[in-house]
Amino acid sequence: MGDLVLTGLSVAGGVYGRRGGELTYEGSRPGAGWHRHGSFRRQLLTVVRGSLTRVFVRKQRWLEVASGRTCHSRPPDDLPWLHFCSLVIAVKLWSWLGGEHGVQSAPVVVVDEQDRPCPRTVQRWQSRAQRYAMEIQQAIRLSIIERCEPRPVETLFPGGLSPPGDLVRRPWRDPPALDKLWRALAMLLGGALGLCVPAAVLLAEARGRWDETTVRAGL
């Protein structure tokens, strides 16, 4: 797929700073009355030139003095409760859905000596993402349109976006939702190549358009 697809935001996006061998992410102040309140380190598995790579991200914590509440700035490729970045999830789902066989025989697109994530984990990702397939597709489409203008976005996909026959023939529980999810991933990866923009950057821009319920989809 090449570096445009298989390089995570930690390298491609210019979103992180670096300090002492760690990535740093400050984000934005949540609002008036919030002050810096230290930081904490979080492990993240991302993609660097096709290989699964462990990085450490130090995220800014904030304190609202009046209430005592705290929160932190979350990078756009850092998903709640998951150690894998959003790009890993996207390319793993694409590999499975676009392949000719089931999740156990999906083509290897991210190199890892420990074969992470396991097929069962990818199945859980697919189940969660499929529930929000329309929202995911729309967010990715809008991000591509914004970068593509004034050209029509269809010029990036002159042959259209039709799921492969093997995907259509499999006995999925919700074929319409799966079709939308496949098209979302096809737009993401095809848009990255057509616009010469890293897929991780497009995915981060799309995530910025999602509300809190869509974030739970796991992409």
Side-chain angles (χ1 to χ4, degrees), residues 16-17 19 22-26 38-43 55-61 73 75:
Y16 296 100
R19 185 177 66 216
E22 297 179 340
L23 301 176
T24 59
Y25 184 75
E26 181 172 320
S39 62
F40 67 96
R41 190 173 78 159
R42 199 255 208 252
Q43 176 181 297
V55 297
F56 290 99
V57 181
R58 186 161 291 279
K59 301 188 288 187
Q60 180 66 52
R61 183 183 282 115
S73 296

Side-chain angles (χ1 to χ4, degrees), residues 92 95-107 119 122-123 166 170 172:
K92 283 290 186 178
S95 173
W96 174 23
L97 299 180
E100 298 180 356
H101 306 288
V103 66
Q104 296 285 349
S105 303
V122 179
Q123 287 179 314
D166 289 315
R170 294 184 209 169
W172 300 100

Side-chain angles (χ1 to χ4, degrees), residues 193-205:
L193 297 176
L195 296 169
C196 293
V197 176
V201 173
L202 287 178
L203 191 56
E205 292 172 355

Side-chain angles (χ1 to χ4, degrees), residues 2-3 16 30 73 95 102 109 122 128 132 154 157 175 187 199 214-215:
D3 284 356
Y16 296 100
S73 296
S95 173
V109 292
V122 179
R128 289 197 298 268
Y132 301 92
E154 287 74 18
F157 313 102
M187 282 193 290
T214 307
V215 169

Side-chain angles (χ1 to χ4, degrees), residues 124 126-136 177 216-217:
R124 286 196 294 268
Q126 182 264 328
S127 179
R128 289 197 298 268
Q130 193 170 320
R131 297 178 216 158
Y132 301 92
M134 178 58 78
E135 291 90 339
I136 293 168
R216 291 201 302 269

Side-chain angles (χ1 to χ4, degrees), residues 29-90:
R29 188 183 301 274
W34 290 84
H35 301 275
R36 297 178 189 277
H37 189 57
S39 62
F40 67 96
R41 190 173 78 159
R42 199 255 208 252
Q43 176 181 297
L44 195 63
L45 289 167
T46 188
V47 191
V48 178
R49 295 177 180 82
S51 296
L52 196 66
T53 304
R54 183 180 67 173
V55 297
F56 290 99
V57 181
R58 186 161 291 279
K59 301 188 288 187
Q60 180 66 52
R61 183 183 282 115
W62 303 91
L63 169 69
E64 187 180 43
V65 176
S67 66
R69 292 185 302 161
T70 61
C71 69
H72 72 274
S73 296
R74 184 181 297 280
D77 61 339
D78 173 22
L79 301 168
W81 312 296
L82 296 178
H83 288 296
F84 295 91
C85 78
S86 55
L87 181 64
V88 174
I89 297 172

